[in-house]
Amino acid sequence: MIITNKHGVPEPLVTLASKEYYSKGASQYSVTEIMSPPKIKRLREQYNDQVTQDVSDMLWNLLGSALHVVMERGATDGWTMEERLYKEVDGVTVSGAIDIQQETPEGVVIIDYKFTSAWAVMQEKEEWQQQLNVYKWLVETVKRKKVVGLKICALVRDFNRHETKEGYPKASIEMVDIPMWDSVTTEAYVRERLNLHRDAKVSADFGDELPACSDTDRWQSETIYAVKREGRKTAIRLFKTIEEANELAEKEKGYVETRLGEPKRCTGNYCGVAQWCEQYQGEINVPA
Ligand code: SF4
């Protein structure tokens, strides 16, 4: 990957960003890799020497790395920090680096740090559930210890102490409980993800078309129908279906404005490979 410095930040930050902080040890897949869309992983591998990212877009990654380094200084009895566990599944080694394991008389509580937004803390983040449950499965099957709790330690980067919205974090560090799965469910999830990655690898090796990213993979937002009236700036109401919107627009003597949903990961190139992706390029380059 090529790291650029478009905003002239100090060079040591660029050096830091260029170093590979993340290691998946001797495994073929890390937990976060199996969770990620197979198409993105393969395209990133294929175009690794051309993928570009500006150092200014890597602030939270850099702070995440810094946090892991600092955490090592906080060693405390009864708390295991930064342990990487390995597990073989159908001939493939998967590994996960667990930020914190708290030993309690009842069992282990797994905690993962996340630099995140207040909005994310207020949502049910499916990927937090998947990641922490795979960690739970690793601890239970590799260390043979019972796991009694999963928590995200959310470091809320945009916390505002004057915000009163329901569910808003109470402080800039918020502990979020994550629902636990049983090991059968988790193992099925791991196998399903590994199969998707295996298929994508075979396609990449043979030069075939890669499996498509799903709407979830692409962060597809919904199309919204806004009922509006001449002379009024804001919408009267928003609907998910055109029929409901048309009905109200007729009553209100207004009109309907369609706000098309979009695959935000593609349009914002958050995957980093949008320019080489035939799925996305095929959509935006449709002949008129
Ligand atoms: S551009 Fe969109 S569809 Fe293509 S790899 Fe990226 S996220 Fe997936």
Side-chain angles (χ1 to χ4, degrees):
M1 183 164 72
I2 303 159
I3 312 274
T4 55
N5 184 6
K6 292 180 188 162
H7 302 283
V9 305
E11 206 56 31
L13 273 180
V14 183
T15 309
L16 202 64
S18 309
K19 285 187 183 164
E20 216 177 321
Y21 281 93
Y22 182 68
S23 156
K24 56 188 174 185
S27 65
Q28 281 138 306
Y29 290 96
S30 67
V31 170
T32 43
E33 262 181 347
I34 66 165
M35 289 164 54
S36 71
K39 187 181 199 116
I40 297 178
K41 177 173 164 56
R42 294 300 153 197
L43 286 174
R44 278 185 160 264
E45 266 174 15
Q46 199 177 338
Y47 295 100
N48 185 43
D49 55 348
Q50 295 173 63
V51 173
T52 305
Q53 191 163 21
D54 194 71
V55 67
S56 60
D57 295 327
M58 299 174 76
L59 172 68
W60 298 107
N61 294 0
L62 291 173
L63 286 179
S65 303
L67 181 68
H68 289 280
V69 174
V70 170
M71 261 182 10
E72 285 167 15
R73 298 194 199 157
T76 305
D77 281 350
W79 298 70
T80 306
M81 322 280 264
E82 295 276 323
E83 186 178 27
R84 182 172 288 278
L85 299 177
Y86 298 84
K87 169 91 180 159
E88 201 181 304
V89 185
D90 302 335
V92 175
T93 308
V94 176
S95 79
I98 305 172
D99 286 346
I100 304 178
Q101 295 164 70
Q102 179 190 7
E103 303 277 350
T104 75
E106 293 75 34
V108 176
V109 177
I110 293 174
I111 303 168
D112 196 66
Y113 287 116
K114 296 273 182 232
F115 277 108
T116 190
S117 64
W119 181 84
V121 172
M122 294 163 76
Q123 311 300 309
E124 277 213 350
K125 292 269 283 178
E126 204 183 346
E127 60 268 33
W128 289 356
Q129 221 179 98
Q130 292 161 345
Q131 185 183 358
L132 266 68
N133 275 289
V134 180
Y135 289 167
K136 170 179 180 279
W137 168 76
L138 283 171
V139 169
E140 288 176 343
T141 56
V142 177
K143 296 177 80 176
R144 306 248 165 235
K145 287 188 174 176
K146 188 179 170 196
V147 174
V148 293
L150 302 177
K151 289 175 193 289
I152 292 288
C153 177
L155 306 163
V156 188
R157 53 192 193 212
D158 56 352
F159 178 71
N160 173 2
R161 65 177 69 253
H162 303 297
E163 184 56 73
T164 52
K165 255 185 238 143
E166 199 186 328
Y168 193 83
K170 304 214 171 9
S172 53
I173 301 183
E174 176 105 333
M175 298 303 293
V176 182
D177 285 317
I178 301 294
M180 292 199 288
W181 301 347
D182 60 57
S183 59
V184 175
T185 305
T186 313
E187 195 155 325
Y189 169 77
V190 172
R191 279 184 206 280
E192 186 199 321
R193 294 305 305 173
L194 283 176
N195 284 337
L196 290 174
H197 281 279
R198 207 175 275 135
D199 290 349
K201 183 171 180 347
V202 171
S203 300
D205 289 349
F206 284 95
D208 293 341
E209 194 170 306
L210 292 167
C213 282
S214 67
D215 283 353
T216 310
D217 294 336
R218 307 177 74 195
W219 305 343
Q220 177 71 45
S221 62
E222 271 181 301
T223 294
I224 297 289
Y225 303 94
V227 176
K228 299 188 81 176
R229 198 190 295 126
E230 291 301 342
R232 180 182 156 139
K233 267 192 187 165
T234 53
I236 301 169
R237 226 178 125 183
L238 303 176
F239 290 97
K240 288 184 181 175
T241 67
I242 183 80
E243 291 79 13
E244 288 173 294
N246 279 337
E247 201 180 314
L248 184 70
E250 207 171 301
K251 269 192 218 156
E252 296 282 341
K253 305 219 178 322
Y255 62 97
V256 176
E257 180 185 276
T258 303
R259 297 176 186 170
L260 282 181
E262 60 170 318
K264 292 185 188 277
R265 198 175 205 167
C266 315
T267 53
N269 193 24
Y270 293 109
C271 61
V273 288
Q275 71 191 95
W276 300 288
C277 172
E278 84 301 332
Q279 183 180 354
Y280 177 54
Q281 292 300 324
E283 287 170 2
I284 56 173
N285 293 318
V286 180

